[in-house]
Amino acid sequence: MLSASLPDFPWDLLEPAKAVAAAHPDGIVDLSVGTPVDPVPPLIQSALADASDAPGYPLTAGTPALRAAIADWLARTCGASGRLGVLPTIGSKELVAWLPTLLGVGRGDVVVIPQVCYPTYEVGARLAGAEVVRADSLTALGPDPRVKLVWINSPSNPTGRVLPAAHLRKVVDWARERGAVVVSDECYLTLGWEETPVSVLADEVCDGDYTGIVSVHSLSKRSNLAGYRAGFLGGDPVLIAELLAVRKHAGMIVPAPVQAAMVAALGDDAHVNEQRALYSARREALRDALVKAGFSIEHSAAGLYLWSTRGEECWDTVDWLAQRGILAAPGAFYGPAAARHVRIALTATDERVAAAVNRLTA
């Protein structure tokens, strides 16, 4: 069974703490998963509805309008100046999970992932039968010729750490010397708070040459479209063409109404700025309350999470919060190096954030 080679599904392990938090007299404040709770912007809902009469098969490559919208957004937001390949995906998680397989990575190959990171990077490598190496330092990898894919993630989920352009350039140069592909998960790129994240596609990283580079993006957090499953790729035209060829065979197609909604979302920044303001206020309230409650906040310069610690084993912190009706994600979900942290999401309503603040500061 393939599932036997995979780790336990992390969120199942959180169920006991969730039950404790749900028993709070004022109800649970769920700050664990990070799922958007605010409404989908009306212009996106309208675009979806207007395209709902879609009896035919959509294009795996995306409509010309969507491809143009993705390319324009990558140029505007990521500073991409060269010739890009682009491709819509069914959200970003399926892409992360299947990317090593789609690129032909397999047994005997190595996939490098960050020391502390999104669990699906490891899952994708295991699905492909590849070996996983956790490393933040290129020198720690040595000259291993088996490395075929290197994941980077800035801003990081879960830590909110932002990688500087100079570091990104070193990773790209290192991978090119060895014929490895660099995949940059940039799903939180537009949510910089104390630092401004830089895309791997920016000229200061790659000089407009996208050979061996793919960047991964999502509209789940930027536009509250987690329920739409709307993601996309940009980067090396040769790699994107290969991914398109395989995905066409596999039927990995974004539904036509969602493609139309993506065009509307990518073309509008007003709703993004409004959502940022909501998250900024929630972030400040939760950050202040956590510090008053004795937590230390580390990294968290960008993204939708506060990487927090009480200097104890993460499950003890999860239990402490659950007794106050607050559910957080244990750092252990994100790698052995994160065993003393918890991830606190900003994705709760203003009312639920206020409830968490009151419980933390009582």
Side-chain angles (χ1 to χ4, degrees):
M1 292 292 185
L2 182 58
S3 62
S5 69
L6 303 179
D8 291 332
F9 187 65
W11 301 106
D12 290 346
L13 304 177
L14 200 55
E15 285 301 316
K18 186 174 184 178
V20 172
H24 191 279
D26 186 39
I28 189 173
V29 179
D30 192 342
L31 305 178
S32 63
V33 176
T35 188
V37 297
D38 299 305
V40 173
L43 86 160
I44 302 175
Q45 294 189 47
S46 295
L48 183 83
D50 291 344
S52 61
D53 185 10
Y57 291 111
L59 293 171
T60 306
T63 63
L66 178 54
R67 294 198 297 273
I70 293 172
D72 289 347
W73 187 88
L74 291 171
R76 186 173 78 246
T77 307
C78 298
S81 65
R83 188 175 69 87
L84 284 165
V86 300
L87 184 65
T89 62
I90 311 163
S92 59
K93 184 170 185 176
E94 65 89 357
L95 183 281
V96 171
W98 291 111
L99 187 62
T101 299
L102 296 176
L103 288 176
V105 175
R107 298 195 181 280
D109 296 330
V110 169
V111 174
V112 180
I113 67 175
Q115 286 276 6
V116 177
C117 66
Y118 184 46
T120 311
Y121 302 151
E122 179 180 1
V123 169
R126 290 199 186 188
L127 286 171
E131 180 183 339
V132 176
V133 172
R134 290 181 179 267
D136 293 331
S137 168
L138 296 175
T139 56
L141 297 174
D144 193 339
R146 299 178 302 149
V147 175
K148 300 301 183 207
L149 192 157
V150 179
W151 277 104
I152 52 178
N153 178 209
S154 177
S156 166
N157 170 19
T159 70
R161 181 185 179 194
V162 174
L163 298 176
H167 179 87
L168 297 176
R169 179 180 278 271
K170 286 180 181 178
V171 173
V172 169
D173 291 345
W174 184 93
R176 283 176 174 169
E177 289 174 2
R178 292 156 179 80
V181 174
V182 173
V183 185
S184 179
D185 179 350
E186 301 176 355
C187 289
Y188 297 87
L189 188 76
T190 59
L191 290 165
W193 306 114
E194 297 162 11
E195 298 181 41
T196 301
V198 179
S199 171
V200 75
L201 302 178
D203 286 350
E204 61 213 272
V205 175
C206 64
D207 299 317
D209 176 8
Y210 308 122
T211 304
I213 300 173
V214 176
S215 67
V216 179
H217 296 271
S218 168
L219 298 180
S220 292
K221 307 304 195 303
R222 174 190 180 273
S223 300
N224 297 337
L225 295 189
Y228 283 44
R229 309 314 302 133
F232 58 94
L233 305 176
D236 185 339
V238 175
L239 288 175
I240 297 295
E242 174 64 14
L243 291 170
L244 172 60
V246 179
R247 290 172 71 86
K248 284 164 68 174
H249 281 293
M252 294 176 169
I253 309 171
V254 176
V258 175
Q259 293 193 30
M262 291 174 69
V263 173
L266 289 166
D268 179 73
D269 290 332
H271 76 275
V272 179
N273 294 333
E274 292 172 5
Q275 190 63 48
R276 272 183 58 89
L278 289 175
Y279 284 138
S280 178
R282 293 166 185 167
R283 179 179 181 272
E284 290 305 311
L286 283 169
R287 186 184 184 102
D288 290 349
L290 286 165
V291 170
K292 289 177 182 176
F295 285 78
S296 295
I297 311 297
E298 298 180 0
H299 302 305
S300 306
L304 282 182
Y305 310 104
L306 293 169
W307 191 233
S308 310
T309 181
R310 280 164 44 95
E312 62 188 4
E313 205 276 332
C314 62
W315 285 106
D316 292 337
T317 306
V318 167
D319 291 343
W320 185 89
L321 289 166
Q323 291 163 12
R324 289 154 180 81
I326 301 169
L327 190 65
F333 284 3
Y334 306 98
R340 298 176 74 82
H341 288 77
V342 294
R343 192 191 75 170
I344 307 287
L346 310 180
T347 50
T349 64
D350 291 343
E351 184 273 332
R352 287 289 84 188
V353 167
V357 168
N358 288 337
R359 296 173 195 181
L360 288 167
T361 56

